[in-house]
Amino acid sequence: MSEAATAAAPRATIGDSEFDRDTALTRRAPGVYDIDLSAGWTIINAVNGGYLLAVLGRALADALPHQDPFTISAHYLTASQPGPAVVRTDVVRTGRTLSTGTASLLQYDEQGNEVERIRVLASYGDLGALPDDVRTTATPPAIPPMEQCFGPEDGPAPVDGSSAIADRLMLKLDPATLGWALGQPSGKGEMRAWFGLKDGRDPDPLSLLLAVDALPPTAFEIGLRGWVPTVELTVHVRSRPAPGPLRVSITTRNLAGGFLEEDAEVWDSAGRLVAQSRQLARARLA
Amino acid sequence: MSEAATAAAPRATIGDSEFDRDTALTRRAPGVYDIDLSAGWTIINAVNGGYLLAVLGRALADALPHQDPFTISAHYLTASQPGPAVVRTDVVRTGRTLSTGTASLLQYDEQGNEVERIRVLASYGDLGALPDDVRTTATPPAIPPMEQCFGPEDGPAPVDGSSAIADRLMLKLDPATLGWALGQPSGKGEMRAWFGLKDGRDPDPLSLLLAVDALPPTAFEIGLRGWVPTVELTVHVRSRPAPGPLRVSITTRNLAGGFLEEDAEVWDSAGRLVAQSRQLARARLA
């Protein structure tokens, strides 16, 4: 999309965007929600783990007395498919400043048996109630200006196969972490990008759950190929993000025994570190 | 303890040590365990969160078909007290290489009502079954040799109040991260130490759950005082540790809004990064 096209397109707003429509749940009973998982957030044939976490996070925001995920851990059990799914939530504890709950995403197999896809444990609070004090020593990722970064629309598709999610994301990768797409991975476990939703919806705590798991796997820059399925993903949302594009930096330092970690930092347009995450993923060692 | 005393003392073994005795559970029924939480692992009056995680981790090792915690997330709900407690486990899914389960630690208030202390979600596997491939780019913490580091026995007690846990740990802090104990915190969110169990028991995956939460809080070196209660702690155990002392490095980069993260790395005597953890904790901003 050219800059002119971006400027001309009507910007979607929080609450009225593809992301909001595709994470919307219908409450069937207290703690039981129905959703039709959209095929619009798939990578190759897999439903993106960050999109799924946002779905579960939204169910918990409804089920708990607090609105914002402060820390949310997801264990990915089986591969989710686009289509009907059920989310069940359970309140563990409600406190004054934090509430804790669990959520499960379930689908049905061909015999009609319930299959659990994801189990989540999370503590929610009110980001708006936090003091303004910031003593963060971390610095924003060293990423060139957006116009010097590259997205799928800037060249041949870097990933084989169709990825519907690419149509919904504004993802501009740092050229320094794009070697894998040219067959020359840097060997470093780093991936950096500008991130947004393509329809222009500004970020909020729920879309941060998507942002931490939306970049190509760092494993590609290490020189590995193939799928890097997430075993567990924990996200700390630390601040309500300012409007505008996010900068996402992902680092892997410990690739061993067929597993690796991916540490993500998400920085907002105001230069605030708004989310930190870590996931444990399986690596296919070549 | 002097080196001579260490050499003379009979070394405890895995399965027959204070740590093993104090994390031992009695299975009352399938998925229901009794334990008397030891007062020996308290810091001031609080039961150490790493000790509690090891208790829950041990219950899950019994309840699940796999033995080793690959990734374990704990949400700390209310403050545990030394004394009787119940652990309830629930199997979420059993797979070929990974099993997932939940565990709850419960105690009773003065009226006899059940109060949940901690909720855990974890995936277990078999560390012994992993391939040997190591491509880790992280490097061991820059910490001086053990004899140049300092423990509670090397000077006046650095923390006010009595901490029973100090009698059970071999903890030798890097002088570069000890400024807080002398009233001169470095301002950096770093803490590094040599870590072991004082009775000489070698590390195993369960004791790694203790190791990640046993150092003084990084907040002390940032210049904060007082209690830094853990909200959530996730540990990835990546390898069975070699015998001998561990090196533990903890880093905080994002202190903001009354919360901070603590990232721990645990390295074994063979130079392998055996565990990584991150916790979200509350900070009392001065």
Side-chain angles (χ1 to χ4, degrees):
Chain A
M1 195 185 302
S2 70
E3 284 185 36
T6 307
R11 288 170 60 88
T13 55
I14 294 175
D16 184 21
S17 75
E18 279 182 315
F19 176 74
D20 298 301
R21 284 187 289 278
D22 287 349
T23 57
L25 302 124
T26 306
R27 181 160 46 177
R28 189 203 300 174
V32 185
Y33 303 84
D34 291 305
I35 185 167
D36 197 56
L37 294 177
S38 165
W41 303 87
T42 49
I43 299 184
I44 319 290
N45 292 313
V47 184
N48 174 263
Y51 161 67
L52 295 167
L53 188 57
V55 166
L56 287 154
R58 195 160 164 183
L60 280 167
D62 184 80
L64 294 171
H66 294 96
Q67 292 297 300
D68 299 318
F70 274 35
T71 168
I72 180 165
S73 291
H75 287 242
Y76 293 79
L77 310 170
T78 56
S80 299
Q81 306 297 328
V86 175
V87 176
R88 292 220 183 91
T89 61
D90 189 40
V91 177
V92 173
R93 179 177 181 267
T94 61
R96 193 174 53 83
T97 58
L98 289 177
S99 306
T100 302
T102 63
S104 294
L105 181 75
L106 306 145
Q107 291 189 306
Y108 296 91
D109 67 14
E110 290 175 3
Q111 286 74 44
N113 300 310
E114 215 170 58
V115 181
E116 186 164 355
R117 300 300 191 199
I118 305 174
R119 178 71 64 99
V120 162
L121 175 60
S123 291
Y124 275 54
D126 178 3
L127 289 169
L130 299 184
D132 291 332
D133 204 299
V134 178
R135 302 194 199 179
T136 300
T137 56
T139 51
I143 181 170
M146 203 185 304
E147 59 272 17
Q148 295 171 26
C149 294
F150 296 93
E153 65 280 8
D154 299 313
V159 184
D160 294 334
S162 70
S163 290
I165 196 171
D167 295 333
R168 284 166 178 74
L169 301 182
M170 186 288 292
L171 200 60
K172 292 284 190 182
L173 287 157
D174 183 341
T177 66
L178 251 180
W180 58 277
L182 309 169
Q184 295 179 318
S186 70
K188 295 181 194 165
E190 297 178 4
M191 199 64 67
R192 287 183 295 274
W194 292 92
F195 174 92
L197 292 167
K198 197 162 258 177
D199 63 12
R201 177 197 189 273
D202 279 319
D204 71 348
L206 275 184
S207 74
L208 295 180
L209 304 183
L210 170 68
V212 299
D213 194 40
L215 273 58
T218 53
F220 287 1
E221 269 299 88
I222 299 173
L224 304 183
R225 288 167 174 281
W227 190 231
V228 188
T230 304
V231 174
E232 176 263 326
L233 168 62
T234 296
V235 187
H236 298 175
V237 176
R238 299 293 301 276
S239 180
R240 204 174 288 280
L246 302 167
R247 285 162 292 177
V248 182
S249 162
I250 305 186
T251 309
T252 294
R253 301 169 70 241
N254 192 19
L255 167 59
F259 288 85
L260 53 80
E261 98 285 13
E262 279 200 3
D263 277 2
E265 285 186 0
V266 184
W267 294 76
D268 72 5
S269 65
R272 179 88 183 253
L273 177 47
V274 292
Q276 289 171 290
S277 75
R278 177 175 287 162
Q279 68 172 263
L280 182 69
R282 290 183 196 259
R284 203 172 296 175
L285 296 177
Chain B
M1 198 182 302
S2 71
E3 284 185 35
T6 308
R11 288 169 60 89
T13 54
I14 294 175
D16 184 21
S17 76
E18 280 181 315
F19 176 74
D20 297 301
R21 285 187 287 278
D22 288 349
T23 55
L25 302 125
T26 306
R27 181 161 45 175
R28 189 203 299 174
V32 185
Y33 303 84
D34 291 304
I35 185 166
D36 197 55
L37 294 177
S38 166
W41 304 86
T42 49
I43 298 184
I44 319 289
N45 293 314
V47 184
N48 174 262
Y51 161 67
L52 294 167
L53 187 58
V55 167
L56 286 154
R58 197 161 161 182
L60 280 167
D62 185 80
L64 294 171
H66 295 95
Q67 292 296 302
D68 300 318
F70 274 34
T71 169
I72 180 165
S73 292
H75 287 243
Y76 293 80
L77 309 171
T78 57
S80 299
Q81 307 296 329
V86 175
V87 175
R88 293 220 182 91
T89 60
D90 189 40
V91 178
V92 173
R93 179 176 181 269
T94 61
R96 192 175 54 84
T97 59
L98 289 176
S99 306
T100 302
T102 64
S104 295
L105 182 75
L106 306 146
Q107 292 190 306
Y108 296 90
D109 67 14
E110 290 175 2
Q111 286 75 45
N113 300 312
E114 216 171 59
V115 181
E116 187 164 356
R117 301 301 192 199
I118 305 174
R119 179 69 66 98
V120 162
L121 175 60
S123 291
Y124 276 54
D126 178 2
L127 289 170
L130 299 184
D132 291 331
D133 203 300
V134 177
R135 302 195 198 177
T136 300
T137 56
T139 51
I143 180 170
M146 204 185 303
E147 59 274 16
Q148 295 172 26
C149 295
F150 296 93
E153 65 281 7
D154 299 314
V159 183
D160 295 334
S162 70
S163 290
I165 196 171
D167 296 333
R168 284 167 177 75
L169 301 182
M170 187 288 291
L171 200 60
K172 293 284 190 182
L173 288 157
D174 183 342
T177 66
L178 250 179
W180 59 276
L182 308 169
Q184 295 180 316
S186 69
K188 294 181 193 166
E190 297 178 4
M191 200 64 68
R192 288 184 295 273
W194 291 92
F195 175 92
L197 292 166
K198 197 163 257 175
D199 63 11
R201 176 198 189 274
D202 279 318
D204 71 348
L206 275 183
S207 75
L208 295 180
L209 304 183
L210 171 67
V212 299
D213 194 40
L215 273 58
T218 52
F220 288 0
E221 270 298 89
I222 299 174
L224 305 183
R225 289 168 172 283
W227 191 231
V228 188
T230 304
V231 174
E232 175 264 327
L233 167 61
T234 296
V235 187
H236 298 175
V237 176
R238 300 293 302 277
S239 181
R240 206 174 287 280
L246 301 167
R247 285 162 290 177
V248 182
S249 162
I250 305 187
T251 309
T252 294
R253 301 169 71 241
N254 191 19
L255 167 59
F259 288 84
L260 54 79
E261 98 286 12
E262 279 201 3
D263 276 4
E265 284 186 1
V266 185
W267 294 76
D268 72 6
S269 65
R272 178 89 183 252
L273 177 47
V274 291
Q276 290 170 291
S277 75
R278 176 174 289 162
Q279 68 171 263
L280 182 69
R282 290 182 197 258
R284 202 172 296 173
L285 296 176

